[in-house]
Amino acid sequence: MRLGQKFGKLWLAAEVILFVLVGAAVDVRYTLGAGLGVIAMIALALVFRAVGVTLCLAGTALSRKERLFCVIAYLPKATVQAAIGSVPLAAGLACGQLVLSVAVVGILLTAPLGALGMDLTYQKLLQGPQKK
């Protein structure tokens, strides 16, 4: 238990460093020029993610509302994009700047979308523990 708490605190610091380093590597002009195709691709990926979450929850005891909340909760995945978005750039691949830009756009779109979605829907979609 104590070890988990220590790693949790360590991760908070590491997460800040991760996002700062990704932000430092981004060329904002390139990111802004990535275009609407990137947004469409991210939207399509979110649809696939929603279908995947729905399939994973099939056969569980969760209600439809709870399943919908799970779909909303799985929209933001900023840490993964930040961690792997810069790998092609660091490897010197020609597509590196594009991959990093798409990862950053994904973070900028999905993180607030998921946070806002969860904040606006948790009271309507989730119920407190049932008393017996």
Side-chain angles (χ1 to χ4, degrees), residues 17-48:
I17 293 169
L18 173 67
F19 283 105
V20 167
L21 291 174
V22 167
V26 173
D27 183 351
V28 176
R29 293 169 299 186
Y30 194 85
T31 303
L32 293 174
L36 294 176
V38 169
I39 295 172
M41 183 182 72
I42 292 168
L44 183 62
L46 291 177
V47 168
F48 278 103

Short mmCIF file of all heavy atoms in Angstrom, two decimals, residues 17-48:
data_model
loop_
_atom_site.label_atom_id
_atom_site.label_comp_id
_atom_site.label_asym_id
_atom_site.label_seq_id
_atom_site.Cartn_x
_atom_site.Cartn_y
_atom_site.Cartn_z
N ILE A 17 6.52 16.31 -16.12
CA ILE A 17 7.73 16.36 -16.96
C ILE A 17 7.41 15.85 -18.36
O ILE A 17 7.83 16.43 -19.36
CB ILE A 17 8.87 15.56 -16.31
CG1 ILE A 17 9.33 16.26 -15.04
CG2 ILE A 17 10.03 15.38 -17.28
CD1 ILE A 17 10.26 15.44 -14.17
N LEU A 18 6.64 14.76 -18.46
CA LEU A 18 6.26 14.19 -19.75
C LEU A 18 5.53 15.21 -20.61
O LEU A 18 5.89 15.44 -21.76
CB LEU A 18 5.40 12.95 -19.54
CG LEU A 18 4.77 12.32 -20.78
CD1 LEU A 18 5.86 11.74 -21.68
CD2 LEU A 18 3.78 11.25 -20.38
N PHE A 19 4.53 15.87 -20.04
CA PHE A 19 3.76 16.84 -20.82
C PHE A 19 4.57 18.08 -21.16
O PHE A 19 4.41 18.65 -22.24
CB PHE A 19 2.45 17.20 -20.09
CG PHE A 19 1.40 16.14 -20.22
CD1 PHE A 19 1.10 15.31 -19.16
CD2 PHE A 19 0.73 15.96 -21.41
CE1 PHE A 19 0.14 14.33 -19.28
CE2 PHE A 19 -0.24 14.96 -21.55
CZ PHE A 19 -0.53 14.15 -20.48
N VAL A 20 5.45 18.50 -20.28
CA VAL A 20 6.32 19.64 -20.58
C VAL A 20 7.25 19.32 -21.74
O VAL A 20 7.42 20.12 -22.66
CB VAL A 20 7.12 20.07 -19.33
CG1 VAL A 20 8.24 21.03 -19.69
CG2 VAL A 20 6.19 20.68 -18.30
N LEU A 21 7.84 18.13 -21.72
CA LEU A 21 8.76 17.75 -22.80
C LEU A 21 8.03 17.62 -24.14
O LEU A 21 8.55 18.02 -25.18
CB LEU A 21 9.49 16.46 -22.44
CG LEU A 21 10.49 16.57 -21.30
CD1 LEU A 21 11.05 15.20 -20.95
CD2 LEU A 21 11.59 17.54 -21.66
N VAL A 22 6.84 17.05 -24.12
CA VAL A 22 6.06 16.95 -25.35
C VAL A 22 5.71 18.34 -25.86
O VAL A 22 5.84 18.63 -27.05
CB VAL A 22 4.79 16.09 -25.14
CG1 VAL A 22 3.82 16.24 -26.30
CG2 VAL A 22 5.17 14.64 -24.96
N GLY A 23 5.28 19.21 -24.95
CA GLY A 23 4.95 20.58 -25.35
C GLY A 23 6.15 21.32 -25.94
O GLY A 23 6.00 22.09 -26.89
N ALA A 24 7.33 21.05 -25.41
CA ALA A 24 8.53 21.71 -25.91
C ALA A 24 8.91 21.21 -27.30
O ALA A 24 9.51 21.94 -28.10
CB ALA A 24 9.69 21.48 -24.95
N ALA A 25 8.53 19.98 -27.63
CA ALA A 25 8.89 19.40 -28.92
C ALA A 25 7.92 19.76 -30.04
O ALA A 25 8.21 19.53 -31.20
CB ALA A 25 8.98 17.88 -28.79
N VAL A 26 6.78 20.32 -29.70
CA VAL A 26 5.74 20.58 -30.69
C VAL A 26 6.02 21.87 -31.45
O VAL A 26 6.33 22.90 -30.85
CB VAL A 26 4.36 20.68 -30.00
CG1 VAL A 26 3.29 21.12 -30.98
CG2 VAL A 26 4.00 19.35 -29.38
N ASP A 27 5.90 21.80 -32.75
CA ASP A 27 5.96 22.98 -33.61
C ASP A 27 4.51 23.40 -33.84
O ASP A 27 3.77 22.75 -34.59
CB ASP A 27 6.65 22.65 -34.93
CG ASP A 27 6.79 23.86 -35.84
OD1 ASP A 27 6.21 24.93 -35.52
OD2 ASP A 27 7.47 23.74 -36.87
N VAL A 28 4.09 24.48 -33.18
CA VAL A 28 2.68 24.90 -33.21
C VAL A 28 2.22 25.21 -34.63
O VAL A 28 1.10 24.88 -35.01
CB VAL A 28 2.46 26.11 -32.28
CG1 VAL A 28 1.04 26.63 -32.37
CG2 VAL A 28 2.82 25.75 -30.85
N ARG A 29 3.08 25.80 -35.43
CA ARG A 29 2.70 26.11 -36.82
C ARG A 29 2.36 24.84 -37.59
O ARG A 29 1.40 24.79 -38.35
CB ARG A 29 3.82 26.87 -37.52
CG ARG A 29 4.05 28.27 -36.96
CD ARG A 29 5.32 28.83 -37.49
NE ARG A 29 6.39 27.90 -37.04
CZ ARG A 29 7.66 28.09 -37.22
NH1 ARG A 29 8.06 29.17 -37.84
NH2 ARG A 29 8.55 27.24 -36.78
N TYR A 30 3.14 23.80 -37.39
CA TYR A 30 2.89 22.53 -38.06
C TYR A 30 1.60 21.90 -37.56
O TYR A 30 0.80 21.36 -38.32
CB TYR A 30 4.07 21.57 -37.85
CG TYR A 30 4.04 20.38 -38.76
CD1 TYR A 30 4.58 20.46 -40.03
CD2 TYR A 30 3.45 19.19 -38.36
CE1 TYR A 30 4.54 19.38 -40.88
CE2 TYR A 30 3.41 18.10 -39.20
CZ TYR A 30 3.97 18.20 -40.47
OH TYR A 30 3.92 17.11 -41.30
N THR A 31 1.37 22.00 -36.26
CA THR A 31 0.17 21.43 -35.67
C THR A 31 -1.07 22.15 -36.19
O THR A 31 -2.06 21.50 -36.53
CB THR A 31 0.23 21.52 -34.13
OG1 THR A 31 1.40 20.85 -33.69
CG2 THR A 31 -0.98 20.89 -33.49
N LEU A 32 -1.04 23.47 -36.25
CA LEU A 32 -2.18 24.22 -36.77
C LEU A 32 -2.43 23.92 -38.25
O LEU A 32 -3.56 23.95 -38.70
CB LEU A 32 -1.96 25.73 -36.57
CG LEU A 32 -1.96 26.21 -35.12
CD1 LEU A 32 -1.60 27.69 -35.06
CD2 LEU A 32 -3.31 25.96 -34.47
N GLY A 33 -1.37 23.61 -38.98
CA GLY A 33 -1.51 23.30 -40.40
C GLY A 33 -1.88 21.85 -40.69
O GLY A 33 -2.02 21.48 -41.85
N ALA A 34 -2.04 21.05 -39.67
CA ALA A 34 -2.35 19.63 -39.88
C ALA A 34 -3.69 19.43 -40.56
O ALA A 34 -3.89 18.46 -41.28
CB ALA A 34 -2.30 18.87 -38.55
N GLY A 35 -4.63 20.32 -40.34
CA GLY A 35 -5.88 20.31 -41.08
C GLY A 35 -7.02 19.54 -40.45
O GLY A 35 -6.90 18.90 -39.40
N LEU A 36 -8.15 19.61 -41.15
CA LEU A 36 -9.37 18.97 -40.69
C LEU A 36 -9.32 17.46 -40.80
O LEU A 36 -10.05 16.77 -40.10
CB LEU A 36 -10.57 19.51 -41.47
CG LEU A 36 -10.89 20.99 -41.24
CD1 LEU A 36 -12.04 21.43 -42.14
CD2 LEU A 36 -11.22 21.25 -39.79
N GLY A 37 -8.46 16.94 -41.66
CA GLY A 37 -8.32 15.49 -41.79
C GLY A 37 -7.89 14.85 -40.48
O GLY A 37 -8.32 13.75 -40.14
N VAL A 38 -7.05 15.56 -39.73
CA VAL A 38 -6.59 15.06 -38.44
C VAL A 38 -7.76 14.98 -37.46
O VAL A 38 -7.92 13.99 -36.74
CB VAL A 38 -5.46 15.96 -37.89
CG1 VAL A 38 -5.15 15.64 -36.45
CG2 VAL A 38 -4.22 15.84 -38.75
N ILE A 39 -8.58 16.01 -37.45
CA ILE A 39 -9.74 16.01 -36.55
C ILE A 39 -10.71 14.89 -36.92
O ILE A 39 -11.23 14.20 -36.05
CB ILE A 39 -10.43 17.39 -36.56
CG1 ILE A 39 -9.46 18.43 -35.99
CG2 ILE A 39 -11.74 17.36 -35.79
CD1 ILE A 39 -9.92 19.86 -36.11
N ALA A 40 -10.91 14.69 -38.23
CA ALA A 40 -11.78 13.60 -38.68
C ALA A 40 -11.21 12.24 -38.27
O ALA A 40 -11.96 11.34 -37.84
CB ALA A 40 -11.97 13.67 -40.18
N MET A 41 -9.90 12.08 -38.38
CA MET A 41 -9.27 10.82 -38.01
C MET A 41 -9.41 10.57 -36.49
O MET A 41 -9.71 9.46 -36.06
CB MET A 41 -7.79 10.83 -38.38
CG MET A 41 -7.09 9.52 -38.07
SD MET A 41 -5.35 9.54 -38.45
CE MET A 41 -4.75 10.59 -37.16
N ILE A 42 -9.25 11.62 -35.70
CA ILE A 42 -9.41 11.48 -34.25
C ILE A 42 -10.86 11.14 -33.91
O ILE A 42 -11.12 10.29 -33.06
CB ILE A 42 -8.93 12.76 -33.53
CG1 ILE A 42 -7.41 12.89 -33.67
CG2 ILE A 42 -9.34 12.75 -32.06
CD1 ILE A 42 -6.86 14.23 -33.26
N ALA A 43 -11.81 11.79 -34.58
CA ALA A 43 -13.22 11.49 -34.34
C ALA A 43 -13.54 10.03 -34.69
O ALA A 43 -14.24 9.35 -33.95
CB ALA A 43 -14.11 12.44 -35.15
N LEU A 44 -12.98 9.55 -35.79
CA LEU A 44 -13.19 8.15 -36.18
C LEU A 44 -12.56 7.21 -35.15
O LEU A 44 -13.16 6.20 -34.78
CB LEU A 44 -12.61 7.89 -37.57
CG LEU A 44 -12.82 6.50 -38.13
CD1 LEU A 44 -14.30 6.21 -38.31
CD2 LEU A 44 -12.07 6.36 -39.45
N ALA A 45 -11.40 7.55 -34.66
CA ALA A 45 -10.75 6.74 -33.62
C ALA A 45 -11.60 6.70 -32.35
O ALA A 45 -11.70 5.66 -31.70
CB ALA A 45 -9.35 7.28 -33.32
N LEU A 46 -12.23 7.83 -32.01
CA LEU A 46 -13.09 7.87 -30.83
C LEU A 46 -14.33 6.98 -31.02
O LEU A 46 -14.79 6.36 -30.07
CB LEU A 46 -13.51 9.30 -30.51
CG LEU A 46 -12.41 10.22 -30.00
CD1 LEU A 46 -12.94 11.64 -29.80
CD2 LEU A 46 -11.78 9.70 -28.74
N VAL A 47 -14.83 6.93 -32.25
CA VAL A 47 -15.97 6.04 -32.53
C VAL A 47 -15.54 4.59 -32.32
O VAL A 47 -16.25 3.81 -31.67
CB VAL A 47 -16.50 6.26 -33.97
CG1 VAL A 47 -17.48 5.17 -34.37
CG2 VAL A 47 -17.16 7.63 -34.08
N PHE A 48 -14.37 4.22 -32.84
CA PHE A 48 -13.87 2.85 -32.64
C PHE A 48 -13.64 2.56 -31.17
O PHE A 48 -13.92 1.46 -30.70
CB PHE A 48 -12.59 2.61 -33.45
CG PHE A 48 -12.84 2.28 -34.87
CD1 PHE A 48 -12.65 3.22 -35.87
CD2 PHE A 48 -13.29 1.03 -35.25
CE1 PHE A 48 -12.89 2.93 -37.19
CE2 PHE A 48 -13.54 0.71 -36.57
CZ PHE A 48 -13.34 1.66 -37.54
#
